[in-house]
Amino acid sequence: MERKSFQLGDIVQMKKQHPCGSNEMEIIRMGMDIRIKCVGCKHSVLIPRAKFEKNMKKVLRSVEEDTQS
């Protein structure tokens, strides 16, 4: 199975919605655990990398794309 590629600052779509109703999250810290911040209500959550990779659907906006334009 191919590993999903993401980096610090990316906006990703998760499989489940945050309680505020948004399913868009910004990656604000990476390591063994990943801290993501809800785009809707700005609440941040620290989750293990394996769980994050399993629950991430796709990258909506990449920091790499923003710097090239």
Side-chain angles (χ1 to χ4, degrees):
M1 188 170 114
E2 185 181 325
R3 287 188 66 119
K4 297 176 182 173
S5 61
F6 50 87
Q7 58 187 355
L8 196 63
D10 286 356
I11 306 292
V12 297
Q13 181 180 17
M14 303 301 282
K15 289 182 182 175
K16 291 186 177 180
Q17 286 187 340
H18 189 254
C20 74
S22 175
N23 63 350
E24 293 183 10
M25 301 283 186
E26 178 184 0
I27 300 172
I28 58 174
R29 180 181 176 273
M30 289 177 56
M32 283 296 292
D33 297 323
I34 295 183
R35 184 171 295 277
I36 53 177
K37 180 172 70 174
C38 178
V39 173
C41 67
K42 309 294 187 222
H43 184 260
S44 69
V45 182
L46 185 68
I47 57 174
R49 180 181 282 266
K51 186 174 181 183
F52 173 79
E53 288 179 355
K54 186 179 134 229
N55 292 333
M56 184 184 90
K57 247 187 193 176
K58 62 183 176 181
V59 176
L60 296 175
R61 291 184 297 275
S62 177
V63 171
E64 201 171 83
E65 292 173 1
D66 293 342
T67 57
Q68 290 177 354
S69 358

